Amino acid sequence: MRKPALELAELVRTEQLTPTELTETCLREIDRLEPQINAFTYVAHEEALAQAAAVTPGPERPFAGVPIAIKDNRAVAGMPITMGSDAWGDYRPDYDAHVVRRLRNAGFVIVGKTALPENGILPTCESRRNGPTANPWDPTRTPGGSSGGSGAAVAAGMVPVAHGNDGGGSTRIPAACCGLVGLKTQRNRVSSGPDSGQSYLTVDGVLTRTVADTAAITEIIAGYEPGDANWPPPPPVPYTEAVGQQPNALKIGLTLTPALASAELDPECARAVHEAARLLEQLGHSVEPLETTPWGDKDLLPDFTKAFGPATAMASIAAARLHGREEPRQDELEPLTWGMYERARNLNAIDQLTAQSRLERVAREIVTALMPYDVVLTPALAQRPLPTGAVHGRGPDPFGNYRRSGAFTPYTAIVNVTGLPAIALPLFHGDDGLPTAVQLIGRPAREDVLISLAAQLEAALPWAARRPPKT
């Protein structure tokens, strides 16, 4: 399962492999590695083999027979959805989320659901319900989160690609921790239906080994769905075409300033940005430090929590209603999740709307300030992947964990606030053997420029063949 999804699809299309053979191989790898990685909350052996037997290649199914895993916060018909929480029990929806339907229609075979922290709150992956997921590069460390199970599954070679979503970095963070490509598209690029309307912060995506896979799959899942309240304009260039286009000489801004004053930048993470800047200049782009970083003097964490917290509380309320109750029980939720729920319940509507309004005002300031640049280069993370147990949202000080998680990932959530597209790329490896990623932030709705530039960097410094030890 270490070949890119596009290569596997070609093997099926040319009849060198059948969808069933490919799915059986994938399930064997999951069974072999799952005891040490713990990436899955559910493995769909029978369902996946039945789907593989029924799928046939064709122009409308470009990924026929290719296995994929779905993060356990999106509905897959007949499979459990738990949000990493005991509150959901064994609920199995009878429908697919829109993003899942699009993946299924493209021919992907869904082999299971992947782990996340409870309600996707933290950038680690060790819920009370499922236990910690291991980073394949170092099993004592986190694979990141909240799409941590997906990142670990792809990095370990359990699946060639996996679904994720990103409300504060939750696709880019596991990509950075696990040595993968993680694209956060422009706000509302991918529909969040049918369960919810537009999301101010979160957008679905995928974790892959290559930029080409990311481009092709994003092209499939992006676009309007009936009833969507907002959606961005289509890209000027299809993503799959952007992969093969050399970008024009770009003006790239560089900043190491985190969007959280208390965050300290690890020298390894800073070194990666400077080395990436040198590589970009060798490729013909101009790189210059931002004179001032528009988020450098702002503490957005309180307002971000007020905007983000109610969404996590709604997940707990939805779970309670499955069991005929209006509110969740404290014993069903981890301490941080319960604390988020209580804060959201006690937050009046005016305070919440005021917080979001302030974030939107700041977002306008940031986007305006960055417009002179085609792309902005930052660290993907401020620290190396955290040791397992460092941040889990339980214990006597769950909100202390929450604040520490912000110091780990102070470059990602600000992009969700702005709505801009951004991509994490695993350009380097540190002396500790762990991947070291950088983040590229694009102009509004210009994922095509990010994809073109990312493909150019990938060609100059390939990473897809790197393999974690002991997998």
Side-chain angles (χ1 to χ4, degrees), residues 172-183:
R172 289 162 289 151
I173 295 163
C177 289
C178 294
L180 305 172
V181 178
L183 172 67

Side-chain angles (χ1 to χ4, degrees), residues 200-374:
Y200 175 63
L201 295 171
T202 302
V203 64
D204 287 83
V206 287
L207 287 138
T208 74
R209 296 183 179 280
T210 69
V211 175
D213 274 3
T214 291
I217 301 170
T218 302
E219 209 163 85
I220 286 166
I221 63 176
Y224 172 79
E225 288 282 354
D228 286 349
N230 289 288
W231 59 97
V237 178
Y239 303 140
T240 49
E241 291 183 18
V243 171
Q245 291 185 350
Q246 288 290 313
N248 297 323
L250 300 174
K251 183 179 180 181
I252 299 173
L254 182 157
T255 183
L256 300 178
T257 303
L260 190 66
S262 62
E264 296 183 4
L265 181 60
D266 187 284
E268 180 67 25
C269 300
R271 181 185 66 79
V273 171
H274 291 304
E275 290 191 8
R278 284 192 287 272
L279 177 58
L280 288 163
E281 288 179 329
Q282 292 169 9
L283 294 171
H285 307 291
S286 64
V287 182
E288 60 184 59
L290 271 63
E291 291 185 8
T292 59
T293 303
W295 55 75
D297 59 348
K298 299 175 174 65
D299 182 6
L300 302 181
L301 186 60
D303 283 336
F304 183 85
T305 303
K306 290 177 182 177
F308 175 67
T312 69
M314 287 170 61
S316 298
I317 292 170
R321 289 179 177 173
L322 289 173
H323 305 295
R325 292 181 276 109
E326 287 300 309
E327 295 186 358
R329 297 197 314 258
Q330 184 173 359
D331 66 308
E332 294 177 324
L333 301 175
E334 297 177 14
L336 178 59
T337 310
W338 179 256
M340 285 279 197
Y341 167 71
E342 286 203 308
R343 287 191 179 189
R345 184 175 58 178
N346 295 321
L347 182 70
N348 67 54
I350 293 175
D351 285 345
Q352 182 191 349
L353 291 172
T354 299
Q356 183 164 324
S357 179
R358 282 195 295 260
L359 290 178
E360 290 173 353
R361 184 186 71 244
V362 170
R364 291 181 187 278
E365 294 173 2
I366 293 172
V367 173
T368 301
L370 298 184
M371 285 303 287
Y373 302 96
D374 298 299

Side-chain angles (χ1 to χ4, degrees), residues 30-52:
I30 293 172
D31 290 343
R32 181 176 72 87
L33 292 167
E34 179 62 4
Q36 67 192 71
I37 302 295
N38 194 33
F40 283 80
T41 61
Y42 179 78
V43 181
H45 290 90
E46 294 181 5
E47 302 98 312
L49 290 171
Q51 188 182 350

Side-chain angles (χ1 to χ4, degrees), residues 7-28:
E7 290 186 24
L8 294 173
E10 180 64 17
L11 292 175
V12 172
R13 189 161 41 250
T14 56
E15 299 184 345
Q16 297 177 63
L17 278 176
T18 68
T20 296
E21 290 171 333
L22 193 52
T23 302
E24 287 174 339
T25 300
C26 176
L27 291 170
R28 281 196 299 270

